[in-house]
Amino acid sequence: MASFEEKHSTNTSNEKVATRGDAVYVLDERRRAALAEVDNAKFSWFHAKVCIVAGVGFFTDAYDIFAINIASTMLGYVYGKGQALNPHQDLGVKVATPVGTLVGQLLFGWLADLVGRKRMYGIELMIIIIATFGQALSGQAAAVKIIGVLVVWRFLMGIGIGGDYPLSAVISSEFASTKIRGRMMTAVFANQGWGQFTAALVAFIITAAYKDSILKDDPLTLDSVDFMWRLLIGLGAVPGCIALYFRLTIPETPRFTMDIERNIDQASHDIKNVLSGGERAEEDEFVQRIDAPKASWGDFCAYFGQLHNFKILLGTAYSWFALDIAFYGLGLNSSIVLQAINFGTPATKGTRGVYDNLNNICIGNLILSAAGLIPGYWATFLFVDSWGRKPIQLMGFIVLTILFVILGFGYDKLTATPAATKAFVFLYCLANFFQNFGPNTTTFIIPGEIFPTRYRSTGHGISAASGKLGAIVAQVGFSQLKDIGGKNHFVKHILEIFAFFMLTGIFSTLLLPETKQQSLEELSNENQEGFVRGVKGPANFTAGQSTI
């Protein structure tokens, strides 16, 4: 028979276990309650601020990426043989940024999950600003040709742009409430359309401003055009400089603090401050840490080794890859496509022909942006939280398949007469519209929602990098194939190839679940009851509560 001391000791031990178990249960409940506050919050000025701060970055990204579409023609007039860059030079200045972007998406995606969204946010913008200025100030010498220098700077700029994708997506999704998350993320991403439009508008204004100088130029040197491309690219740093301070001062997301730093008290405090418009508490003001699933290579393999989770990653990655084959294949080569269909091709030669060609390219890009790209983003904004992400993406891929089949197989007839050419431009604008009211927007949104917090930025980075791999494949393919059989003769077959990839995007979309009106934790495919498994760090426990 047990002694009194033995019974008392056993009871005390059991009470400690029960007390600790109760405390863990309370912390688990507190975590879910804190997350529910974020998920159910009403739209506030803070949400608008997140959209603006993240959106300015995407505006800058798009401006810098697509300005080269026009700048490459200007570079050809100044530095190209026969007033045009050769195929390798043109490919180099256009593909350098997507290659850098792929590296940046993987690197910053991983780092944002490792060290924090806040710690990395702003660094990518600094890289973009420095690299943009570097391009504008590039010179040529006997040992180093300017095209090579530009390729290096554009690669570095691409790393910064790549970092913007996972960081902006994850920050906007983790701060958004469930009901408006799709619209918040779309509003951020829609700035890409305005950036592309502004690049064409600035080029148009610069071309008009330098008209008299171009007409008076020596046709062999075209010195005025050298000023033009530098202004066009250099002005891309301005919005980045404006947004930098706000990026550096944006608070850490409560989900990162809670699930990766494993500090529920700090996260709860931050949530109250953010929703009330206050400031974040000092780092490590609250030091109690929870025991929760932690990112590691083994845990990563275990999570994505589950068929359901692997199918989602495959679906997000391949859908983005297929979409960017066409999106960047067209976006970085719209000037070539416009010239191939003789849309606005100048009849005059000499310096007048130079001005007319640049002016027509700018007008053509303005039309393509205003008539297709920008409306497409905002159509998604209207329907993304009601209709859903998956139906929009599926519809977009289906319509794009049909449009590229028509544009490719009907190319000869659609470019035979001026009237038919207008029909081609209309269908081309329609393709731009359904890229954005379709997979271009949803492939950005879904990876920012569907993965657990500890892998959300990494998963988005992998998906986005797959897209940039598609952009690289498209640009290399476009450059190497377009002149087979004659100048721009193979463009029609490239459009047919785009149709094939849009078709494959339909099947990858079927791998994805619908994400609308669900919390990020529901979408993570992890049981949230018992997510907190214990407590680490100093804590004094009493029944039902923890004391820091």
Side-chain angles (χ1 to χ4, degrees), residues 101-115:
T101 302
L102 186 153
V103 174
Q105 286 164 337
L106 292 174
L107 178 63
F108 278 83
W110 170 65
L111 287 173
D113 280 339
L114 181 68
V115 303

Side-chain angles (χ1 to χ4, degrees), residues 86 134 150 183 191 244 268 275 302 346 365 404 413 426 434 440 506 530:
N86 66 46
L150 287 174
R183 279 170 286 172
N191 284 277
L244 183 59
S268 300
L275 296 180
N365 279 277
F404 282 120
K413 291 184 178 179
F426 171 76
F434 280 104
N440 188 43
I506 296 172

Side-chain angles (χ1 to χ4, degrees), residues 37-184:
E37 282 191 69
V38 177
D39 289 336
N40 298 320
K42 293 182 179 180
F43 185 78
S44 65
W45 164 243
F46 179 78
H47 292 114
K49 179 183 175 182
V50 169
C51 289
I52 294 169
V53 173
V56 170
F58 268 99
F59 176 94
T60 305
D61 297 346
Y63 183 102
D64 292 334
I65 290 173
F66 293 104
I68 198 64
N69 184 23
I70 302 169
S72 63
T73 303
M74 297 177 178
L75 286 165
Y77 281 127
V78 183
Y79 301 105
K81 186 176 181 180
Q83 294 192 336
L85 297 180
N86 66 46
H88 297 296
Q89 291 174 324
D90 186 71
L91 173 62
V93 295
K94 288 181 178 177
V95 83
T97 300
V99 172
T101 302
L102 186 153
V103 174
Q105 286 164 337
L106 292 174
L107 178 63
F108 278 83
W110 170 65
L111 287 173
D113 280 339
L114 181 68
V115 303
R117 287 74 161 120
K118 174 181 171 60
R119 289 187 180 94
M120 300 310 301
Y121 213 36
I123 294 176
E124 84 293 351
L125 207 54
M126 294 180 195
I127 295 173
I128 294 171
I129 293 168
I130 293 169
T132 302
F133 275 121
Q135 291 173 72
L137 299 175
S138 295
Q140 178 150 296
V144 182
K145 299 301 181 184
I146 192 168
I147 300 302
V149 175
L150 287 174
V151 167
V152 173
W153 279 121
R154 290 193 67 78
F155 171 78
L156 293 174
M157 183 184 74
I159 293 176
I161 291 173
D164 208 21
Y165 276 75
L167 283 166
S168 291
V170 168
I171 284 173
S172 56
S173 74
E174 291 185 348
F175 274 123
S177 60
T178 302
K179 291 182 179 179
I180 63 169
R181 189 174 61 239
R183 279 170 286 172
M184 271 189 66

Side-chain angles (χ1 to χ4, degrees), residues 421 485 507:
T421 299
F507 297 102

Side-chain angles (χ1 to χ4, degrees), residues 269-318:
H269 187 278
D270 291 346
I271 289 168
K272 289 182 173 61
N273 280 340
V274 164
L275 296 180
S276 64
E279 298 296 329
R280 189 177 196 258
E282 290 295 321
E283 298 284 346
D284 297 327
E285 180 176 328
F286 305 109
V287 295
Q288 187 183 40
R289 309 288 177 180
I290 62 171
D291 180 13
K294 185 177 180 180
S296 67
W297 176 245
D299 182 72
F300 180 90
C301 293
Y303 179 81
F304 287 104
Q306 299 177 44
L307 181 60
H308 175 80
N309 300 331
F310 176 75
K311 282 167 57 181
I312 290 173
L313 182 60
L314 177 63
T316 57
Y318 184 82

